[in-house]
Amino acid sequence: MLVRRIARPLLAAPFVYGGVSTLRKPQDRVPGAAPVVEKIADTADKQLPVEVPRDVEQWVKVDAAIKVAAGSLFALNKFPRLTAIVLSASIVPTTLAGHRFWEHDDPTEQFGQISNFLKNTGLLGGLLLAAVDTEGKPSVGYRTRRAAKRAADATEKNYEKAQKRALKAQKKTSRKAGKKAGKKTGKGALKVFS
């Protein structure tokens, strides 16, 4: 659809541009990212068996590279649902690190931070919509449930057929056994009367 071809590059543009500018000069983002990286690293160190690197600049570069790669793929309509999820996951820590409006006392500075915070939450909303957009095709969940139902129906039908065949075979075997028994009884009866 034409709307998707226009909307995806527009939605991806801030991520690609921001990622490229951050890769060129990551030092500008380090002070804002430090508290978030520390919090994530502390939590990860408690829950993971390996130590998480604490180099804030490295984390900033990784986040920027993810934004450039996922944003470019999203703009080109390659893996749009997956890249939308990746971009959604990357925008949350970026927003919490870069737009901490609650820490500013100056009304002008606070207003700017609130505006950027809300802009990022709007981008997050657009990405979440893109992540669930199936482009008119049934979702993977729907297709999985439908395939499972078809398999269950086919299995049930095959089971019923097998039961009918077994019952038919059992009846046939019973009839043959009855005829054999009848012949033996008949031959025995003839010998008794002769």
Side-chain angles (χ1 to χ4, degrees), residues 52-87:
V52 176
R54 294 179 179 271
D55 182 9
V56 179
E57 188 172 327
Q58 179 184 359
W59 281 99
V60 168
K61 287 178 182 178
V62 167
D63 181 61
I66 288 170
K67 282 183 171 70
V68 171
S72 299
L73 288 171
F74 185 74
L76 296 171
N77 198 27
K78 303 292 182 195
F79 313 108
R81 294 177 73 194
L82 176 64
T83 54
I85 291 169
V86 170
L87 290 171

Side-chain angles (χ1 to χ4, degrees), residues 32-141:
V36 175
V37 169
E38 285 299 318
K39 195 170 208 170
I40 290 172
D42 288 341
T43 304
D45 284 344
K46 291 175 188 171
Q47 296 184 7
L48 298 175
V50 294
E51 189 174 323
V52 176
R54 294 179 179 271
D55 182 9
V56 179
E57 188 172 327
Q58 179 184 359
W59 281 99
V60 168
K61 287 178 182 178
V62 167
D63 181 61
I66 288 170
K67 282 183 171 70
V68 171
S72 299
L73 288 171
F74 185 74
L76 296 171
N77 198 27
K78 303 292 182 195
F79 313 108
R81 294 177 73 194
L82 176 64
T83 54
I85 291 169
V86 170
L87 290 171
S88 297
S90 77
I91 199 171
V92 172
T94 301
T95 303
L96 294 175
H99 306 297
R100 303 166 74 82
F101 63 88
W102 54 90
E103 293 179 350
H104 297 281
D105 294 328
D106 179 31
T108 307
E109 181 69 26
Q110 190 176 35
F111 177 76
Q113 292 300 327
I114 288 173
S115 295
N116 285 321
F117 185 88
L118 292 175
K119 173 195 59 112
N120 281 7
T121 56
L123 286 171
L124 176 61
L127 288 169
L128 292 175
L129 285 173
V132 298
D133 179 23
T134 60
E135 299 183 26
K137 299 173 190 167
S139 69
V140 173

